[in-house]
Amino acid sequence: MKSRLNKYPFLIVGFIHLVMLIYTFYKSSDKKKHLVLLLNFVGFAYIFDYIIVVFLNGYKYKPCFLKQNYLDNIFGAVLSQFFYVPVTALFITVMKFGWISKILFSLYFVLIERLFVNLRIYKNKWRRTHYTFSLILVSFYFNDKWAEQIVKRNLIILFVSVFSFLH
């Protein structure tokens, strides 16, 4: 019975981020540019997650959407890296939030992680929660700087963005 309930926290967080995404695009002055940024953020998050989850086995998700444990773990990682984190990064970038907001959103992800650990639907292996805070905070800063370079039409950044977008 409990395993069937595992998916609900993932769905609730997903709903929060869906609302955040809709609001972000509603407020966006350049929806096409922001869609490209979102997909770019997704590509970078996937590269990170590929290394941490697949190669280094840093943590495990247990959303219980799929019957096979390995695929279910990957699906949980996809939800996080395809949706939760990139949508938040885009929200921060589009709204032009500063450092305090970046710190608060990083803490938000730490709280989600701790809640998921307590619910036993997420398990850290060698990876620790303070890595979540630090790496997400750095990624928010990086994403803002990347967005600035896209606006400036930096050819290297545009090329890497296309690669990331396709990835």
Side-chain angles (χ1 to χ4, degrees):
M1 177 69 172
K2 179 163 175 46
S3 65
R4 287 191 306 162
L5 299 176
N6 284 13
K7 65 183 78 166
Y8 294 109
F10 288 92
L11 293 172
I12 291 166
V13 173
F15 178 76
I16 291 167
H17 287 88
L18 178 62
V19 170
M20 190 183 294
L21 180 65
I22 290 167
Y23 183 76
T24 300
F25 277 105
Y26 172 75
K27 288 296 210 174
S28 171
S29 59
D30 188 346
K31 290 172 182 42
K32 186 165 69 171
K33 178 182 86 175
H34 292 135
L35 177 61
V36 169
L37 272 177
L38 175 64
L39 294 174
N40 188 60
F41 296 166
V42 168
F44 283 129
Y46 270 143
I47 292 168
F48 169 79
D49 220 41
Y50 186 70
I51 293 166
I52 300 300
V53 173
V54 176
F55 283 133
L56 300 176
N57 200 22
Y59 48 87
K60 181 176 179 152
Y61 288 97
K62 300 174 192 174
C64 294
F65 283 102
L66 306 172
K67 291 183 186 213
Q68 192 176 17
N69 287 342
Y70 179 74
L71 293 177
D72 200 46
N73 176 40
I74 297 300
F75 184 71
V78 165
L79 285 174
S80 177
Q81 300 310 321
F82 176 74
F83 201 61
Y84 307 156
V85 175
V87 165
T88 304
L90 182 68
F91 180 74
I92 289 169
T93 299
V94 170
M95 301 303 161
K96 297 178 172 70
F97 287 149
W99 273 106
I100 292 173
S101 295
K102 289 177 177 81
I103 290 169
L104 291 174
F105 275 108
S106 297
L107 288 171
Y108 162 75
F109 280 107
V110 165
L111 291 174
I112 290 172
E113 181 175 316
R114 296 313 311 156
L115 175 64
F116 279 26
V117 166
N118 288 335
L119 293 173
R120 293 186 170 91
I121 58 175
Y122 173 85
K123 180 181 180 184
N124 277 322
K125 293 187 175 183
W126 60 265
R127 190 173 176 275
R128 298 294 172 249
T129 300
H130 64 274
Y131 298 161
T132 298
F133 177 81
S134 303
L135 292 171
I136 286 181
L137 183 60
V138 167
S139 78
F140 289 159
Y141 175 78
F142 174 79
N143 290 336
D144 280 352
K145 293 301 174 191
W146 197 269
E148 288 173 13
Q149 292 302 309
I150 287 176
V151 169
K152 291 179 181 177
R153 317 268 314 146
N154 180 316
L155 290 178
I156 294 170
I157 298 299
L158 291 172
F159 177 79
V160 174
S161 292
V162 170
F163 171 78
S164 179
F165 174 86
L166 294 173
H167 182 255

